[in-house]
Amino acid sequence: MSGGDSWRFRAVIFFSLLLVWAAAALLRAVWLAGPRSAEYIAQGEKMARFHGTLPAMRGRILDRAGRTLVWSERYFDLYLTLPEGMTPEDETFDAVRKTVKDLKIPEAGTGTPVLLKRDLAPAELLALEPVVKNNRAFRIESRVERIAVSNPAARSRLGTVKRENGELVGASGLEAEFDARLRGRPGQFEVMLDRRRNWIAGSWKLLEEPAPGEDVKLDVTLETLMRRPAGEEAEQ
């Protein structure tokens, strides 16, 4: 075979392989755009969506006279998360410093959330919300704390709670005994995520409202709880 014939033979082989590859790519594109398109779109949407729960507000415990013995209070805390080594040099930081007095912002990021202010006052919360909503370094988190009457004997009988998956559940005493009624039902939400798994502003959607727990009314008074041995309380 001469040099010219050899070159033409190699060219035919090359273009034949190129045509085969192009045909295979075309067939795959048609397949993905047709029978498999719905499946891949569904997979992509699933990866871009996050579903979460909203804890229900726990019910109160009342004595026979209707006085509140145990109740829940909601508080708001301000957190900051900066990449390691990053310095807080942004107009948002100046606005936050002016809004929250005596705030100590780290000189450089650590990559982990840092609590800046616990128990934000209502005025601080209202002023901060529009300031930090467009800066993902800041995050305002809510938490619910269980509050009980101050008498030690009554508190011992009323019991304690613990936090499981963001929800308060009864751990001892009457809190544990009537936990199923006090807990309520968590709500559900979904939100779209960007490629860094951050929430996309305006995409949050409530799917189901949380249902608050029941109030439990005891058939004894606070004064009785203050002197009655543990284990003798009854519910009406």
Side-chain angles (χ1 to χ4, degrees):
M1 182 181 293
S2 65
D5 292 337
S6 176
W7 180 87
R8 280 193 293 273
F9 177 75
R10 288 195 297 269
V12 169
I13 295 296
F14 172 77
F15 284 110
S16 297
L17 292 174
L18 186 62
L19 286 173
V20 170
W21 176 83
L26 179 61
L27 287 173
R28 177 171 174 78
V30 171
W31 171 251
L32 292 178
R36 297 295 299 276
S37 61
E39 177 184 343
Y40 281 104
I41 290 173
Q43 290 180 1
E45 289 183 348
K46 183 177 180 181
M47 292 176 62
R49 280 196 179 96
F50 173 78
H51 289 84
T53 59
L54 298 169
M57 187 63 76
R58 194 170 176 84
R60 300 175 299 165
I61 298 178
L62 313 174
D63 77 348
R64 187 174 62 193
R67 291 175 293 184
T68 303
L69 306 179
V70 186
W71 65 98
S72 299
E73 291 186 358
R74 188 178 297 276
Y75 299 91
F76 295 89
D77 305 324
L78 177 64
Y79 286 86
L80 172 68
T81 305
L82 282 176
E84 187 172 357
M86 179 179 176
T87 56
E89 298 174 354
D90 186 286
E91 62 272 10
T92 305
F93 291 91
D94 294 332
V96 170
R97 289 188 183 95
K98 293 176 182 177
T99 303
V100 182
K101 303 302 181 185
D102 302 322
L103 190 66
K104 294 182 179 180
I105 295 180
E107 295 182 358
T110 61
T112 57
V114 175
L115 176 63
L116 296 183
K117 177 68 181 293
R118 188 176 178 87
D119 301 342
L120 291 168
E124 292 175 330
L125 185 63
L126 290 173
L128 278 173
E129 197 276 334
V131 173
V132 306
K133 69 178 182 179
N134 294 322
N135 189 317
R136 290 175 179 157
F138 291 99
R139 186 174 74 256
I140 297 175
E141 287 192 0
S142 70
R143 58 183 167 83
V144 175
E145 298 290 344
R146 201 67 168 157
I147 313 298
V149 293
S150 59
N151 180 266
R155 288 172 67 99
S156 175
R157 289 153 177 74
L158 291 167
T160 60
V161 295
K162 59 184 177 180
R163 201 175 298 275
E164 290 184 357
N165 300 320
E167 184 181 9
L168 295 178
V169 300
S172 66
L174 295 176
E175 290 276 23
E177 182 177 348
F178 300 115
D179 183 63
R181 293 175 54 186
L182 291 166
R183 285 175 74 169
R185 186 185 70 249
Q188 304 288 329
F189 72 90
E190 75 172 16
V191 66
M192 300 297 290
L193 305 177
D194 62 18
R195 56 191 178 89
R196 294 194 178 113
R197 309 297 291 174
N198 294 315
W199 288 18
I200 296 176
S203 67
W204 191 91
K205 180 181 179 182
L206 178 65
L207 301 178
E208 183 181 357
E209 288 271 7
E214 292 181 45
D215 289 345
V216 172
K217 189 174 184 180
L218 308 176
D219 67 356
V220 296
T221 63
L222 171 59
E223 291 75 19
T224 302
L225 286 176
M226 292 168 62
R227 61 177 181 270
R228 176 174 289 185
E232 295 184 10
E233 296 78 28
E235 176 263 342
Q236 189 174 40

